Amino acid sequence: MTVDEKIGQLIQLNPKFFADVSVDVTGPWESLGIDEGFLKNIGSVLGSRNAEEMLIIQKKHMAEDKNKIPMLFMKDVIHGYRTIYPIPLALGASFDPDLVCECTQMEVKEASAGGVHVTFAPMVDYARDARWGRVMETCGEDPLLNSIMGAVQVKAIQGDDLRDTDHIAGCVKHLAAYGAAEAGRDYNTVEMSERQLREFYLPAYKACIDAGVTMLMPSFNSLNGVPSIANKWIMKTVLKDEWGFEGVVISDSNAVGELKTHGIAADSKAAAELAFKGGCDIEMMTANYYVGLKELIEEGKIDMAQLDAAVERILNLKESLGLFEDPFRDASPEKETAVCLTDEHRAIARRAAEDSTVLLKNDGTLPFSKDVKKIALIGPFAESKKIMGSWACNGRDDECVSIAEGIRNLLPNAEITVVSGCSAELGSTDTSGFDIAVQAAADADAVILCLGELSIYSGEGNSRVDIGLPGVQNELAKICVAANKNTAAVIFNGRPLTLGELDSICPAILDTFFPGSEGGNAIANLMFGVANPSARVPMSFPRAVGQCPVYYNHPSTGRPKRNDFDNYRFKSRYLDCGNLPLYSFGHGLSYSDFRYESMELDKKQFTADEKITVTVTVRNAGERDGKEVVQLYMHDLVASSVRPVQQLIAFEKVEIAAGETKQIVFEITEPMLRFWDADCNYISEAGEFELFVGYADHPYIQDRFELI
Ligand code: GLC
């Protein structure tokens, strides 16, 4: 291979450069200045639309490339390819790794048939600030939950053999701490201690690497003064030396070029040198490698062996995908059509939407009786089909089931009135739809308020400083509930919203996040009791945006405010708001009635080479079968550095039939008690630990144990 051909393998462009096809833009583009002759060397394509487009581009390339090296086709397949299931934040709420595995396996079957070779997933950025728009892509505020869900996705994406065309390669992102962008503003700077990084922000990336993920994408943000892509500590010391990652590193879109914008590269050549030496193998959508690498090699600043090593990693990935045997990996428009959006896949998406919708509040209003005759659907989402959320890949709004359609499907004989009542636009003050909404509420047997934030208000580049229900939705809720008490709300959101006013108004609230293609059917099933809510809050819902970031696993202070009634002035508190979130991590209601009867420890003291067996007994005293998320938390009472007041150390989602009692067994081992001390040693320390089962800030049964 010539130097140009080698450098070409290190550049990724979108389909527009290779054929007259349509392109989804996922970021700003510089004018690249790549000459036509060089294009045949390009090694990978960002975001081809479908199998047909991949075939056009790949066939043309294979005809022109003298080395006959197939291109890699990579795409953001985040929560479904064509059959769209709930956003990752909702999947986190499911607390169900098996469900996440099933959804992901379905997704990659469709994506592979659609000509995708690599997906830029899982995204496992740990996030605590609901103002940040990309919390919709994470599984929430707990490192254990994020790690488990990330690893499950890697295994489901890649399978056991990348030659199996039911699987593709994964790319974990965005290393590191993108979710800690200052003030929740996307792309903003991140300053953080190594201890905090290692304790909370790095574990999920490591879990994905340990699960065998083949690619990794650094984050846009600067981390302690150096943008991740050029940050030798995170990209070499941690990623390569400590974690032993040997896969392919790809920049985020435009990120190499943005080293100039960050102000740490004077020009393209400097940007290329920093990124390449930072370990970035593929440059996405900028051409600094095209401009600078050749000169850097001629100047001896980068040696040919380093370039060859990067090319080899990329060629090895292509080889492991079987691309040299079949550059098209058995993808075709016919196969894509046959595989996508089948009834089986829709059923998976529907079950996922049911099991990732959280029942936040219920005074007994839900479930509605299926015998109701007149139902009023009121709110901007009442018949909206824009319910997939951001990163919906090839999903189509018109293939989504709205709430109105879902309820008509379930109750074909009911009289359903649909009134939008108001807009979900930010800043809307239009109340002209209120009168007709109130009338519809008054005339109905049951009212469903369909409220939320538009899907364009979360996702990349979409941070908010006010995370309430946009417009006059709270006002709409107030007058409708006044007109008819038999009212429940369902919320569409890409982040925790400040729902305090709605909570004070509405008897029952379901939060469905963005449920995807089958959202309307799932919500209808939940509203009318065909399905029983089983999801739990994956990320604290603030009472006020001024609390952000508010999260459950916070350290103590010297002056903790013990509860919302502790109003002593000299405490860590706000004058105008409590410290606790409106809905805590792990909160969620059910139509069943789960009673925690006991928590037994087989010993109260153990040494590092022993384990404690914890047996939790839960009874379903209700009349409905249901699923409970049994959550086990610990608190390290005294340690050499301040520890969180509570940490989720294990969870299990279990089905418990009406009247049934089940025992759920957990094991506590010494590694579960380890933490990063002030000197960044990963250690456990002897001492006493509190243990409780329940959910954050809400222990049902408590006990203590000791590591000796
Ligand atoms: C975007 C996102 C990244 C995505 C990439 C390719 O800017 O930050 O998550 O994978 O570009 O679309």
Side-chain angles (χ1 to χ4, degrees):
M1 293 171 78
T2 66
V3 173
D4 270 355
E5 289 160 0
K6 292 177 182 178
I7 291 171
Q9 289 298 314
L10 277 55
I11 295 173
Q12 179 173 106
L13 300 176
N14 71 43
K16 205 77 182 150
F17 289 87
F18 306 105
D20 183 17
V21 291
S22 53
V23 169
D24 283 340
V25 174
T26 63
W29 300 347
E30 295 178 346
S31 60
L32 298 177
I34 291 182
D35 73 58
E36 195 71 24
F38 188 86
L39 287 177
K40 66 178 180 304
N41 300 325
I42 297 299
S44 59
V45 178
L46 164 63
S48 61
R49 180 167 291 280
N50 50 33
E52 182 187 12
E53 209 166 86
M54 181 277 287
L55 291 171
I56 291 168
I57 296 169
Q58 190 77 301
K59 282 176 182 170
K60 182 169 180 285
H61 168 77
M62 293 304 284
E64 293 172 354
D65 178 20
K66 75 174 179 57
N67 296 319
K68 303 299 176 202
I69 299 174
M71 290 207 273
L72 271 171
F73 286 75
M74 305 190 194
K75 193 177 176 75
D76 295 284
V77 191
I78 307 298
H79 56 106
Y81 175 77
R82 178 79 178 276
T83 308
I84 305 303
Y85 51 84
I87 58 173
L89 187 59
L91 292 181
S94 76
F95 277 80
D96 188 343
D98 293 339
L99 177 69
V100 172
C101 177
E102 193 178 3
C103 288
T104 308
Q105 285 173 334
M106 176 259 284
E107 161 194 78
V108 293
K109 272 191 189 134
E110 294 191 355
S112 183
V116 179
H117 304 150
V118 181
T119 176
F120 297 120
M123 187 275 213
V124 292
D125 297 322
Y126 179 75
R128 291 172 160 171
D129 196 321
R131 293 171 293 182
W132 190 49
R134 298 193 77 164
V135 298
M136 55 75 56
E137 290 177 69
T138 78
C139 285
E141 72 187 39
D142 180 74
L144 178 71
L145 182 63
N146 250 344
S147 299
I148 289 172
M149 295 311 197
V152 157
Q153 289 177 71
V154 169
K155 297 280 189 191
I157 290 167
Q158 298 188 163
D160 298 325
D161 178 0
L162 286 179
R163 278 179 166 70
D164 172 354
T165 55
D166 275 348
H167 293 279
I168 59 179
C171 176
V172 63
K173 66 188 184 182
H174 309 80
L175 188 74
Y178 184 18
E182 197 167 278
R185 195 173 80 237
D186 207 352
Y187 315 116
N188 205 1
T189 188
V190 174
E191 290 286 339
M192 186 179 298
S193 72
E194 181 180 343
R195 197 178 71 84
Q196 181 83 337
L197 275 165
R198 288 184 180 280
E199 176 104 25
F200 297 101
Y201 289 82
L202 298 186
Y205 305 117
K206 171 85 166 46
C208 291
I209 287 164
D210 292 346
V213 73
T214 47
M215 285 188 68
L216 176 135
M217 183 186 294
S219 58
F220 287 116
N221 55 282
S222 64
L223 177 59
N224 297 331
V226 181
S228 296
I229 200 165
N231 189 309
K232 285 197 170 29
W233 180 77
I234 195 68
M235 294 303 294
K236 184 167 183 327
T237 306
V238 175
L239 179 64
K240 302 287 177 80
D241 299 347
E242 274 186 38
W243 295 353
F245 182 68
E246 295 178 343
V248 175
V249 174
I250 185 168
S251 79
D252 205 332
S253 192
N254 227 34
V256 176
E258 286 168 11
L259 291 176
K260 294 175 276 186
T261 322
H262 277 285
I264 69 155
D267 54 32
S268 294
K269 191 163 86 171
E273 183 175 5
L274 284 171
F276 187 81
K277 288 182 174 176
C280 177
D281 296 314
I282 299 177
E283 173 179 17
M284 184 192 288
M285 282 311 296
T286 41
N288 302 277
Y289 281 12
Y290 169 72
V291 170
L293 279 191
K294 205 173 196 177
E295 272 185 45
L296 288 164
I297 289 167
E298 286 158 3
E299 294 164 5
K301 290 180 179 171
I302 291 176
D303 57 54
M304 188 59 77
Q306 290 172 298
L307 177 61
D308 289 344
V311 173
E312 188 177 358
R313 280 189 288 273
I314 296 163
L315 297 185
N316 283 341
L317 176 56
K318 295 183 178 185
E319 200 281 329
S320 65
L321 283 159
L323 283 171
F324 288 103
E325 287 85 42
D326 175 7
F328 315 109
R329 281 191 98 234
D330 192 31
S332 70
E334 298 72 24
K335 181 176 179 182
E336 182 175 3
T337 303
V339 166
C340 290
L341 219 60
T342 59
D343 290 347
E344 179 201 356
H345 285 184
R346 276 191 176 272
I348 293 170
R350 183 167 56 250
R351 192 158 30 86
E354 288 169 356
D355 286 2
S356 55
T357 294
V358 185
L359 181 56
L360 294 172
K361 178 183 178 184
N362 187 24
D363 68 353
T365 297
L366 288 180
F368 288 132
S369 162
K370 287 176 69 177
D371 300 330
V372 288
K373 295 286 178 272
K374 297 174 72 174
I375 302 164
L377 302 179
I378 299 172
F381 284 87
E383 52 188 355
S384 170
K385 297 166 87 66
K386 293 184 179 304
I387 57 174
M388 296 185 286
S390 188
W391 296 112
C393 199
N394 285 18
R396 296 176 193 165
D397 292 340
D398 62 1
E399 292 170 347
C400 289
V401 179
S402 69
I403 296 181
E405 289 166 334
I407 291 176
R408 287 192 186 102
N409 292 339
L410 181 66
L411 304 174
N413 301 321
E415 181 188 324
I416 297 170
T417 305
V418 178
V419 177
S420 63
C422 71
S423 153
E425 298 273 340
L426 285 173
S428 171
T429 56
D430 181 1
T431 59
S432 59
F434 278 18
D435 291 347
I436 189 172
V438 170
Q439 191 57 55
D443 294 346
D445 301 325
V447 177
I448 298 177
L449 297 172
C450 311
L451 312 171
E453 62 169 2
L454 299 179
S455 65
I456 56 172
Y457 294 158
S458 58
E460 183 173 355
N462 296 331
S463 301
R464 293 178 63 191
V465 290
D466 173 356
I467 54 175
L469 287 171
V472 292
Q473 296 183 75
N474 281 318
E475 292 78 358
L476 175 69
K478 193 165 190 171
I479 57 176
C480 289
V481 174
N484 189 331
K485 290 284 177 278
N486 197 31
T487 294
V490 57
I491 309 298
F492 294 82
N493 48 312
R495 58 164 58 80
L497 298 178
T498 45
L499 297 176
E501 188 172 351
L502 183 69
D503 184 85
S504 67
I505 297 165
C506 195
I509 303 172
L510 274 169
D511 191 313
T512 194
F513 301 98
F514 283 103
S517 307
E518 282 289 309
N521 285 329
I523 293 160
N525 287 344
L526 290 163
M527 282 283 180
F528 290 90
V530 173
N532 186 354
S534 63
R536 300 290 179 264
V537 166
M539 184 174 181
S540 304
F541 278 62
R543 291 176 187 277
V545 70
Q547 285 184 308
C548 289
V550 59
Y551 49 96
Y552 90 94
N553 46 0
H554 57 81
S556 179
T557 68
R559 298 191 177 182
K561 176 177 170 134
R562 295 289 170 211
N563 54 53
D564 280 351
F565 313 103
D566 171 1
N567 287 315
Y568 175 56
R569 175 180 167 193
F570 301 106
K571 287 285 181 78
S572 179
R573 65 175 189 139
Y574 302 101
L575 290 177
D576 49 359
C577 181
N579 288 1
L580 291 181
L582 177 65
Y583 306 119
S584 294
F585 174 82
H587 164 72
L589 304 175
S590 166
Y591 299 148
S592 303
D593 177 6
F594 296 113
R595 306 281 174 87
Y596 282 69
E597 298 191 329
S598 64
M599 178 173 72
E600 306 293 335
L601 283 66
D602 70 341
K603 58 177 82 69
K604 293 292 181 74
Q605 285 188 338
F606 79 125
T607 58
D609 57 353
E610 294 177 316
K611 65 185 179 187
I612 293 179
T613 300
V614 182
T615 305
V616 179
T617 301
V618 184
R619 181 164 64 89
N620 180 353
E623 294 167 5
R624 294 178 53 93
D625 299 351
K627 296 175 194 165
E628 172 62 329
V629 181
V630 182
Q631 305 163 49
L632 191 65
Y633 294 81
M634 70 108 173
H635 175 204
D636 188 345
L637 289 165
V638 178
S640 59
S641 56
V642 178
R643 306 298 307 128
V645 295
Q646 57 203 328
Q647 289 171 260
L648 181 70
I649 53 172
F651 65 87
E652 188 174 333
K653 189 166 198 176
V654 292
E655 295 199 52
I656 307 179
E660 183 187 15
T661 297
K662 259 193 181 170
Q663 292 194 322
I664 300 88
V665 179
F666 298 105
E667 290 186 346
I668 299 176
T669 58
E670 178 269 334
M672 293 160 76
L673 311 181
R674 291 180 191 167
F675 64 96
W676 293 89
D677 72 4
D679 302 318
C680 275
N681 302 306
Y682 191 48
I683 60 166
S684 62
E685 293 173 343
E688 257 203 312
F689 295 77
E690 273 174 350
L691 186 74
F692 75 83
V693 68
Y695 65 96
D697 310 314
H698 297 77
Y700 298 154
I701 305 173
Q702 293 175 291
D703 206 331
R704 289 194 173 195
F705 66 87
E706 191 177 3
L707 176 67
I708 54 178

